Amino acid sequence: MKQPLIQLDSIVKNYKTICALNQISCNIYPGVTGLLGPNGAGKSTLIKVLLGLVKVSSGYGTILGYQLGKQGRKIRQLVGYMPEDDCYIPGLTGVEVVRFSATLAGLPKVEALRRSHEILDFCGMQQERYRNIETYSTGMRQKIKFACSIVHDPQLLILDEPTSGLDPEERESLLNRIRVLSRQFGKTVILSTHILPDVQSTCDHVVIISRGQLRISDSLENLSRPASPTITLSVVGDKQVLADALENIGLETTSGDRDELTIEGDLNVISDQIWQAAKTSGCGIRNMTPSINSLEEIFIQAIKESGHADA
Amino acid sequence: MPMHDVGYRAWKGELTSIISRWWMIAQTGIAIAFRSQWIKRMLLAAWMPIVAIGSFFFVFENYLSDRNNKMDFLRRSAAEFGVDLDDPESRREYLEQIKNSPPLRRLDRATTGLGPGNSRPAQKKQIVVPMENTGSMKKQISQIIADRNKQIVDKIKEKCRELDVDVAKPKIKKLFDKLEKSGVPIAFNERILTRYLQRLDNAKTRERLERQLDNLSEQVEKISKLDPKDLPITDELPSVEDLIRRGQQLAPEDRFKFELQQMDLNDSLPPSFIVPYRQKIVEAWATPDNAKARVLGWSYFLMVFLGYPQGVATIILLALIVPPLISRDLRSRAYFIYFAKPIGRFEYLFGKFTIPLVFLVLITTLPALGLYIFAVALSPDLSVVLDTWYLPLKIVLASAVMIVPTVSVALMLSSLTQESRFATFAMFAIWSLTAGAYMVMWGFHTSNELTNEIREQERSESTVVVNMYDVEGNVVGQRTVNNQDIDLSNVRPLNSNWQMISFYHSSQHIQGWIFGLVPFDFSVVACGGMLLLTTIFSWFVLYWRVSAPIRV
């Protein structure tokens, strides 16, 4: 079992009468973690707590071995943060912004410039790096923000909506870069986003927050596995006839989209019975796979539960 | 993929000290500011006054190295304060007199409606002449004065004609006629002549002068009604200078004193209304010890340099540099770039504070220190450094008094808005309104006080006495007339404590105190306290405003 890089224990953050974070306790492990939640769920507050920019009302936590709230400066030295907001320093060119960011993190001036060019190459930024940043498109500014967050080679990357405003090709490139950083260079990445396919394709773990409370914190693999084993069939022919045949032999079925049919049971145990039922009902089976939960379902379910809980 | 693209590589290097990170913010800010052409031009313009002040140092050091030099403008300027630079006794008297004088504040007579220019009170001048105690000699003196007056009147008339001024105007004509008559106990001197000629040369002041001549004419009318004793006329008319020279050789009891009222229309305001600190330079000229004179003179020049041209340049440069510093960061949300890195809020603020600080040091402290070095280089030997070693420290302190509060307030204004224009307007408004408020207050107070004093004296029975004495000190001729010169020496200017309502005047007052030109009193504490409190308040607001966006 890997050691968690971030440990949070009963973190509470109150803004006067509003409770932004309520008893958040979770561990975040190396790899890519998706931080999900509806608008106003408390994701940004949690990120600021992790960066040590806001003090928690109560609770305890450690990040990369440093105590939360007391060693914020040391934490920020090891963390790269890409904010969601469009932020830039007016009057500077792209490469100057990245260089400035590197010097703020403590890189010597000349090395900061060299490193900035290297990172901008990695981010796919060409000669436009010499243009004033105020003339950049949204996509270019996203790249600059990403470059600023990784220029000092941080151990932990916190990316807030990194793919917003990017065209599909750039979005795929950025996700690839995140994968490279995580898998080849061992960076721990927290990816806060609303784009669930991005999380599905990139993340190893998922943390879902709703109304300031932690709803889910688990690996994506565990979450995708249904509570009880089910099998999804893709039927050729009349799926209702097959469903009747399966129910006659004692298997519960649920009709899905188009030609899909879901059956309760373990594939290794009941596969023979399914083939037999298909034979008797005269239907073909194009595909037979164990069912998995989609992230969208998991997300919606978690939000619904929080709504019930609050109600 | 370009050939130089090596992909992502881990970075293992030595980090710079965490204490120096604020300097990175300052460096970047300075680099951005330097890209503005206007700031470069302003920097250049702000260095121009150094030439003028440098020439003051040059003249001053020349004067100290040779006190008998021919720089008449110094003598003329000192004479306005009643000091004869060539007369050690006059210099000593002046130094004694200012020991107990109040700090000087400026009053422009135009502000009070009393007339142009700054001035001093009317003086009685005593001319001691040698003569026998006879009436004929008294007549001689009157005749000599009349002759001198005639020469001067002729010169003024000639100039008037040259400039096409109407000398035939009834009142002026009458004045000249009266002055040319013998026996009129009123003396014009060379200084008055020179001043009138200069004013006639100037189209702006010519009209005012004509009005003055009208007034003078009325006064002469009254004085000429005095009836001097019937004095026999002699054939011999020695010059006044000869008479004075001869008189000085006589024993006091043989001297005849002739006292007359010296008419000078500008001489009516007390010295406490003269240009601020200006008496200090006259004090420097009058001080016989070169070392002491040098400290006073240099302090005065440095104060003038920092307080006036550089004070204005500071405000203009601040208006160009400071307003965008924080407001643009708030608008572009650049604070995320700063605070996502190991930077604290005070480091951010200190970095931002350093940006205008560097520019202001460039236009105030550095040139002032340059002037000091220039002055040391002009002085006869390096021993002056021992006498003036603390002046560079005073320069640094005086610059800080001006820079720290103004930059703090300007930064605070920048942090209160996302539109840097609003911060600029607010900055100018605060500086000009507070300075304007003080000046208006001062003007109203002074005008009111002067008006009351003049009314009071006009009601009273005050008189001017024109006396003639014999060797025994007995008055042999005396006439009294209604007082034409109002004595305003009892009018007090506005209390200096009120300067605390103005940023500009407060910092200037503290600078004056630092340079030893203003005595330490409650006004210094009040102005210093105001600047200190404003600075602390500004930093509280700054910290709160910078924390606000990342707190939510």
Side-chain angles (χ1 to χ4, degrees):
Chain A
M1 184 70 183
K2 289 177 185 172
Q3 284 295 314
L5 288 180
I6 300 174
Q7 291 177 300
L8 300 178
D9 184 12
S10 307
I11 296 291
V12 176
K13 176 65 191 172
N14 293 319
Y15 290 117
K16 292 181 182 171
T17 55
I18 299 164
C19 182
L21 295 176
N22 187 9
Q23 298 289 336
I24 300 277
S25 299
C26 69
N27 293 335
I28 291 176
Y29 296 91
V32 185
T33 301
L35 180 60
L36 302 176
N39 292 330
K43 299 191 297 293
S44 296
T45 305
L46 182 62
I47 289 173
K48 283 173 185 170
V49 166
L50 294 177
L51 288 168
L53 293 177
V54 293
K55 285 186 177 173
V56 293
S57 304
S58 69
Y60 175 83
T62 58
I63 298 174
L64 304 165
Y66 293 108
Q67 205 175 334
L68 197 66
K70 291 185 178 168
Q71 293 172 298
R73 198 187 285 264
K74 285 182 178 168
I75 292 170
R76 291 201 296 278
Q77 184 70 58
L78 300 172
V79 175
Y81 172 52
M82 176 181 174
E84 177 190 6
D85 299 83
D86 181 24
C87 59
Y88 56 93
I89 294 178
L92 293 182
T93 62
V95 68
E96 283 172 337
V97 172
V98 181
R99 181 201 182 195
F100 177 54
S101 201
T103 54
L104 287 182
L107 273 72
K109 275 167 67 179
V110 177
E111 181 59 13
L113 184 60
R114 189 202 62 74
R115 174 81 180 165
S116 302
H117 282 294
E118 189 177 303
I119 292 297
L120 286 171
D121 287 340
F122 173 67
C123 293
M125 198 84 174
Q126 305 302 324
Q127 295 306 304
E128 59 269 23
R129 70 183 68 175
Y130 299 110
R131 265 172 39 198
N132 192 312
I133 196 164
E134 283 157 287
T135 65
Y136 278 16
S137 66
T138 311
M140 287 177 189
R141 284 189 191 166
Q142 286 291 92
K143 282 185 189 175
I144 291 290
K145 282 196 293 181
F146 184 66
C148 286
S149 67
I150 62 172
V151 70
H152 58 298
D153 192 27
Q155 287 182 37
L156 172 65
L157 261 177
I158 300 176
L159 309 175
D160 202 351
E161 300 285 357
T163 52
S164 70
L166 295 181
D167 60 42
E169 191 185 347
E170 286 294 345
R171 176 171 153 253
E172 193 51 44
S173 302
L174 184 65
L175 292 175
N176 272 336
R177 284 179 202 120
I178 294 171
R179 284 185 208 111
V180 165
L181 288 171
S182 169
R183 287 166 197 166
Q184 290 183 25
F185 295 92
K187 307 291 178 200
T188 301
V189 182
I190 296 176
L191 187 63
S192 170
T193 180
H194 288 110
I195 305 170
L196 298 178
D198 287 356
V199 177
Q200 189 95 49
S201 66
T202 318
C203 295
D204 308 314
H205 300 86
V206 172
V207 172
I208 298 179
I209 296 176
S210 177
R211 302 197 178 188
Q213 288 180 319
L214 183 72
R215 292 293 155 203
I216 290 170
S217 173
D218 207 343
S219 71
L220 195 58
E221 191 184 343
N222 288 343
L223 288 172
S224 302
R225 199 179 302 131
S228 57
T230 52
I231 300 162
T232 303
L233 298 183
S234 179
V235 182
V236 181
D238 188 349
K239 69 177 181 182
Q240 190 54 48
V241 177
L242 178 59
D244 293 343
L246 288 168
E247 290 199 358
N248 285 339
I249 56 173
L251 295 175
E252 280 190 28
T253 61
T254 314
S255 181
D257 293 342
R258 294 181 189 174
D259 57 353
E260 279 189 2
L261 200 60
T262 310
I263 306 159
E264 297 263 344
D266 191 334
L267 181 65
N268 297 328
V269 179
I270 61 168
S271 59
D272 287 345
Q273 289 173 282
I274 295 169
W275 288 121
Q276 194 60 42
K279 188 178 175 185
T280 54
S281 62
C283 294
I285 295 175
R286 185 183 293 133
N287 191 12
M288 181 161 58
T289 53
S291 302
I292 55 164
N293 292 337
S294 76
L295 190 57
E296 195 173 338
E297 285 170 347
I298 299 165
F299 182 73
I300 291 169
Q301 188 63 30
I303 304 309
K304 272 184 185 170
E305 281 172 12
S306 76
H308 285 305
D310 289 332
Chain B
M1 183 167 143
M3 277 178 68
H4 53 78
D5 186 356
V6 291
Y8 188 85
R9 293 193 297 181
W11 187 81
K12 300 278 179 231
E14 199 172 327
L15 295 172
T16 56
S17 162
I18 208 138
I19 306 164
S20 65
R21 306 278 167 92
W22 63 270
W23 178 239
M24 298 300 161
I25 298 174
Q27 257 187 336
T28 307
I30 291 165
I32 294 173
F34 250 120
R35 289 175 192 173
S36 159
Q37 290 298 325
W38 278 108
I39 289 175
K40 283 181 197 163
R41 285 175 195 145
M42 190 59 221
L43 279 177
L44 189 67
W47 270 76
M48 293 295 116
I50 202 173
V51 179
I53 305 289
S55 63
F56 292 171
F57 273 102
F58 180 76
V59 169
F60 184 71
E61 281 302 317
N62 265 290
Y63 170 74
L64 289 190
S65 62
D66 175 17
R67 295 221 180 204
N68 297 317
N69 59 38
K70 300 290 179 194
M71 288 188 283
D72 288 337
F73 62 96
L74 290 187
R75 286 170 177 75
R76 277 203 301 275
S77 189
E80 284 183 31
F81 288 78
V83 186
D84 182 356
L85 286 183
D86 295 324
D87 178 7
E89 189 59 23
S90 165
R91 296 202 309 235
R92 194 191 58 74
E93 273 176 19
Y94 178 73
L95 292 175
E96 280 296 317
Q97 174 201 329
I98 60 168
K99 261 186 189 172
N100 303 316
S101 67
L104 303 183
R105 297 304 312 158
R106 189 172 75 92
L107 174 71
D108 185 1
R109 294 185 72 192
T111 317
T112 62
L114 289 176
N118 299 299
S119 194
R120 63 194 170 89
Q123 296 179 342
K124 281 182 178 176
K125 190 163 185 178
Q126 204 173 57
I127 301 174
V128 181
V129 292
M131 57 180 66
E132 297 156 23
N133 186 12
T134 63
S136 66
M137 286 309 286
K138 293 172 199 165
K139 187 69 182 174
Q140 280 182 35
I141 300 281
S142 294
Q143 187 60 49
I144 290 165
I145 290 168
D147 286 349
R148 283 169 62 89
N149 283 354
K150 188 173 185 311
Q151 287 170 9
I152 288 173
V153 165
D154 284 344
K155 282 185 186 174
I156 296 176
K157 271 185 175 174
E158 190 185 330
K159 187 75 180 177
C160 286
R161 276 193 284 276
E162 187 186 314
L163 294 166
D164 202 20
V165 172
D166 184 10
V167 289
K169 206 171 167 184
K171 276 189 175 177
I172 299 178
K173 188 171 184 300
K174 200 171 169 187
L175 161 73
F176 290 147
D177 289 347
K178 293 283 179 193
L179 288 173
E180 284 170 11
K181 281 185 184 168
S182 62
V184 178
I186 179 168
F188 270 145
N189 59 24
E190 292 294 335
R191 186 166 66 84
I192 293 173
L193 170 68
T194 313
R195 198 158 62 202
Y196 279 2
L197 292 182
Q198 279 170 353
R199 287 188 181 172
L200 281 168
D201 266 336
N202 186 336
K204 284 183 186 171
T205 52
R206 194 184 308 157
E207 192 185 333
R208 273 205 308 254
L209 179 66
E210 285 181 30
R211 278 205 305 275
Q212 284 183 16
L213 289 174
D214 284 350
N215 296 335
L216 182 63
S217 163
E218 286 170 13
Q219 293 184 42
V220 169
E221 174 74 22
K222 287 177 182 170
I223 294 172
S224 65
K225 285 177 184 164
L226 298 174
D227 185 19
K229 302 275 181 193
D230 285 332
L231 302 168
I233 298 171
T234 61
D235 296 327
E236 195 182 349
L237 286 176
S239 72
V240 172
E241 288 75 16
D242 282 346
L243 292 171
I244 291 171
R245 206 175 306 117
R246 277 161 53 191
Q248 283 164 351
Q249 293 162 1
L250 293 177
E253 60 271 21
D254 295 334
R255 291 179 184 173
F256 179 89
K257 285 184 275 184
F258 188 97
E259 188 181 80
L260 66 152
Q261 182 80 23
Q262 190 117 16
M263 299 302 297
D264 187 343
L265 292 179
N266 276 339
D267 295 349
S268 58
L269 283 176
S272 55
F273 292 108
I274 297 170
V275 177
Y277 322 123
R278 199 173 147 209
Q279 74 161 15
K280 288 291 174 185
I281 191 62
V282 179
E283 189 182 338
W285 292 332
T287 303
D289 179 5
N290 272 5
K292 283 183 187 167
R294 188 167 279 125
V295 170
L296 265 176
W298 289 11
S299 297
Y300 171 76
F301 294 137
L302 290 169
M303 168 66 211
V304 167
F305 178 65
L306 289 175
Y308 297 97
Q310 302 319 94
V312 175
T314 294
I315 302 297
I316 296 173
L317 201 59
L318 276 185
L320 289 172
I321 295 172
V322 180
L325 283 183
I326 296 182
S327 61
R328 285 216 298 191
D329 279 357
L330 291 174
R331 195 172 58 187
S332 65
R333 297 186 182 86
Y335 46 83
F336 278 122
I337 295 176
Y338 293 100
F339 297 121
K341 295 288 184 287
I343 297 289
R345 280 157 229 189
F346 270 119
E347 282 164 301
Y348 170 78
L349 288 176
F350 197 54
K352 292 288 180 186
F353 180 82
T354 310
I355 298 165
L357 183 76
V358 166
F359 282 97
L360 296 187
V361 164
L362 271 178
I363 65 158
T364 57
T365 319
L366 275 189
L369 289 173
L371 277 174
Y372 173 76
I373 293 166
F374 176 66
V376 169
L378 282 176
S379 56
D381 58 70
L382 285 178
S383 67
V384 297
V385 177
L386 292 175
D387 302 326
T388 59
W389 61 269
Y390 48 86
L391 279 183
L393 301 179
K394 286 186 172 186
I395 289 170
V396 173
L397 201 58
S399 309
V401 162
M402 182 165 62
I403 293 171
V404 173
T406 45
V407 172
S408 301
V409 172
L411 271 181
M412 178 190 75
L413 295 172
S414 173
S415 76
L416 289 174
T417 174
Q418 294 189 8
E419 280 287 343
S420 53
R421 283 173 299 173
F422 296 157
T424 313
F425 293 146
M427 220 185 96
F428 273 122
I430 285 181
W431 263 267
S432 56
L433 287 181
T434 56
Y438 171 72
M439 285 157 76
V440 167
M441 222 173 127
W442 190 90
F444 270 114
H445 167 89
T446 313
S447 173
N448 197 33
E449 290 287 307
L450 289 172
T451 310
N452 288 342
E453 185 70 19
I454 290 166
R455 283 184 186 156
E456 187 66 30
Q457 292 191 27
E458 276 176 349
R459 278 199 297 273
S460 73
E461 292 292 324
S462 59
T463 54
V464 167
V465 179
V466 179
N467 289 335
M468 281 180 268
Y469 304 89
D470 61 14
V471 285
E472 305 294 328
N474 301 320
V475 176
V476 293
Q478 184 185 69
R479 276 291 184 275
T480 56
V481 290
N482 288 334
N483 191 359
Q484 297 302 314
D485 283 328
I486 306 284
D487 177 13
L488 297 173
S489 55
N490 290 325
V491 176
R492 305 316 313 160
L494 183 65
N495 192 325
S496 303
N497 297 348
W498 283 106
Q499 286 179 104
M500 67 178 286
I501 67 168
S502 161
F503 265 99
Y504 181 71
H505 291 92
S506 289
S507 60
Q508 211 182 45
H509 194 57
I510 302 286
Q511 284 179 329
W513 170 67
I514 289 170
F515 280 114
L517 307 178
V518 169
F520 182 79
D521 57 12
F522 182 74
S523 64
V524 174
V525 179
C527 291
M530 190 281 284
L531 293 177
L532 184 69
L533 285 178
T534 313
T535 308
I536 293 171
F537 175 75
S538 301
W539 277 86
F540 267 117
V541 174
L542 274 171
Y543 190 77
W544 165 67
R545 284 293 299 168
V546 169
S547 305
I550 53 173
R551 234 180 357 225
V552 181

